[in-house]
Amino acid sequence: MKQNDHAPRHEVKAHTVAYLVCFLLVLAIPQVVNSAYTLRVINMIMLYSILALGLNLVGGYCGQLSLGHAAFYGIGAYTSALLTMNLGWPFLPALVVSALFACLWGLILGVPTLRVSGDYLLIVTIGFAEIVRIVFTNWVSVTRGPMGLPGIPGVSIMGFTFRTGTHYYYLFLAALIITVLAIHRLVNSKVGRAFIAIREDETAASAMGIHTTYYKVIAFATGALFAGMAGSFLAHYLKFVGPMNFTLDESLLMFQMIILGGLGSISGSILGAAILVVIPEVFRGIYEYRMLINGLIMVALMIWRPQGLLGTMGGARKAGSAGKALQKTVASLFSGGAASGQVKR
């Protein structure tokens, strides 16, 4: 029986009214925000929220360490851009094919590699992301190499062309709501319970008859699907994609978002995306120290709130040893990234 079945009727009604008010406030944001720049930042928060939610499915719910999410993001972006520019496809078919193509690559990578875990899986996913970036850079006849693809057409659906930031705001909001509902439904299903069982103790889950590799591949491919969808939106929103949009830094940023917001938390993924998209804009005057600031935030988080801003201690305990190892490894990576960023400069 669901928890809401035990809740008093007036509490359920109050929650429904609260959600409705929040939804109406979110719908009204473009009407009160007059700055195109601010609206653009909000739009990017929603795009990164979709990416973080997909990655949280892999890392937060299934306990798998992946830093190759930028590769699926890039595959979706380039596929959608090439289909619309070279073959004249409408946006919606290009969006669907891009997401499915990224999902296919998630399956291709996941089937052989998800038999390993921890640091080994981390290395494999980093390697895959670098291979994809190098392909984008060197396949000049198709991707124009380092010059990228300019002039990507904007979004047009059933004769309506999205031109302004407000148009894209409602488009991305609809995509984010669909993503949240889909992931909420998935993690509360039998498949989601299998994810969590694998995250808590993979050996015990396998002993209970759960096909761990099968469910890990499902999580990986679903995360890639949402990344491909976000990539398609990015390509048509910016009207440009290049290899530098999909570097390892992007994968690290996505992982920071889910660690900061809280592993296994849908609202935490959105909060983490919002904070880490806004911070570089606030400190734009010292942008070269972005990785250092992010690293300091992660170190402070690991010390004072290791479960993430919207995570719970109970949730952190349930994450088990896999989740703790995940957090330690990523924290050390971010510290290293900050250090290397200083050396380069």
Side-chain angles (χ1 to χ4, degrees), residues 184-198:
H184 181 268
R185 179 74 177 172
L186 182 62
V187 299
N188 286 287
S189 68
K190 177 184 174 183
V191 175
R193 289 192 290 274
F195 290 167
I196 295 170
I198 294 169

Side-chain angles (χ1 to χ4, degrees), residues 253-276:
L253 180 62
M254 295 171 208
F255 229 111
Q256 275 184 295
M257 290 171 179
I258 64 170
I259 295 291
L260 180 62
L263 283 172
S265 168
I266 291 176
S267 54
S269 300
I270 297 173
L271 179 63
I275 292 173
L276 291 180

Side-chain angles (χ1 to χ4, degrees), residues 286-299:
I286 51 172
Y287 187 79
E288 60 271 24
Y289 298 106
R290 176 177 63 91
M291 289 301 293
L292 177 62
I293 294 170
N294 288 358
L296 291 174
I297 291 173
M298 295 309 298
V299 170

Side-chain angles (χ1 to χ4, degrees), residues 2-334:
K2 295 180 180 179
Q3 190 176 357
N4 282 344
D5 294 340
H6 297 289
R9 183 171 297 178
H10 68 277
E11 287 188 9
V12 175
K13 189 175 180 181
H15 288 161
T16 304
V17 171
Y19 287 136
L20 183 60
V21 170
C22 290
F23 180 67
L24 292 175
L25 289 174
V26 169
L27 284 180
I29 285 177
Q31 310 307 321
V32 296
V33 174
N34 295 320
S35 167
Y37 166 75
T38 304
L39 202 55
R40 189 180 183 85
V41 172
I42 295 173
N43 287 342
M44 291 308 296
I45 288 173
M46 290 192 281
L47 275 185
Y48 274 103
S49 295
I50 295 172
L51 288 166
L53 286 164
L55 185 58
N56 210 351
L57 196 64
V58 181
Y61 289 100
C62 205
Q64 302 306 302
L65 183 56
S66 169
L67 283 178
H69 217 55
F72 305 118
Y73 186 33
I75 288 171
Y78 268 93
T79 303
S80 189
L82 291 171
L83 287 175
T84 52
M85 293 175 70
N86 295 346
L87 301 180
W89 282 34
F91 169 73
L92 277 181
L95 169 70
V96 173
V97 171
S98 303
L100 292 177
F101 193 51
C103 177
L104 176 64
W105 275 105
L107 287 172
I108 293 172
L109 178 67
V111 169
T113 58
L114 287 173
R115 296 179 186 279
V116 299
S117 59
D119 295 347
Y120 300 103
L121 179 59
L122 172 76
I123 293 167
V124 171
T125 54
I126 290 174
F128 176 72
E130 276 303 284
I131 290 170
V132 171
R133 188 188 63 79
I134 290 169
V135 169
F136 291 157
T137 305
N138 292 287
W139 199 2
V140 178
S141 61
V142 175
T143 65
R144 297 184 78 243
M147 294 182 292
L149 293 172
I152 300 170
V155 175
S156 180
I157 300 175
M158 300 177 68
F160 180 79
T161 302
F162 291 71
R163 291 190 175 88
T164 66
T166 301
H167 293 165
Y168 280 99
Y169 173 87
Y170 289 117
L171 176 67
F172 295 163
L173 179 62
L176 179 58
I177 290 173
I178 291 171
T179 304
V180 168
L181 293 176
I183 290 183
H184 181 268
R185 179 74 177 172
L186 182 62
V187 299
N188 286 287
S189 68
K190 177 184 174 183
V191 175
R193 289 192 290 274
F195 290 167
I196 295 170
I198 294 169
R199 181 192 69 186
E200 292 190 13
D201 192 327
E202 186 172 342
T203 304
S206 181
M208 293 296 291
I210 295 174
H211 194 319
T212 56
T213 303
Y214 171 76
Y215 284 105
K216 285 193 290 186
V217 169
I218 287 180
F220 204 71
T222 307
L225 178 81
F226 287 114
M229 183 176 79
S232 176
F233 282 129
L234 178 82
H236 294 276
Y237 181 52
L238 299 183
K239 298 180 174 58
F240 172 84
V241 291
M244 294 310 293
N245 295 118
F246 312 106
T247 61
L248 179 60
D249 283 350
E250 282 294 295
S251 293
L252 288 170
L253 180 62
M254 295 171 208
F255 229 111
Q256 275 184 295
M257 290 171 179
I258 64 170
I259 295 291
L260 180 62
L263 283 172
S265 168
I266 291 176
S267 54
S269 300
I270 297 173
L271 179 63
I275 292 173
L276 291 180
V277 170
V278 169
I279 282 180
E281 302 302 326
V282 173
F283 294 100
R284 184 165 283 278
I286 51 172
Y287 187 79
E288 60 271 24
Y289 298 106
R290 176 177 63 91
M291 289 301 293
L292 177 62
I293 294 170
N294 288 358
L296 291 174
I297 291 173
M298 295 309 298
V299 170
L301 188 76
M302 290 300 119
I303 294 173
W304 287 295
R305 195 169 173 82
Q307 71 271 30
L309 294 176
L310 294 184
T312 63
M313 287 310 294
R317 283 194 295 272
K318 288 178 182 177
S321 57
K324 293 173 184 174
L326 185 74
Q327 292 182 349
K328 288 178 182 176
T329 306
V330 174
S332 65
L333 275 172
F334 292 144

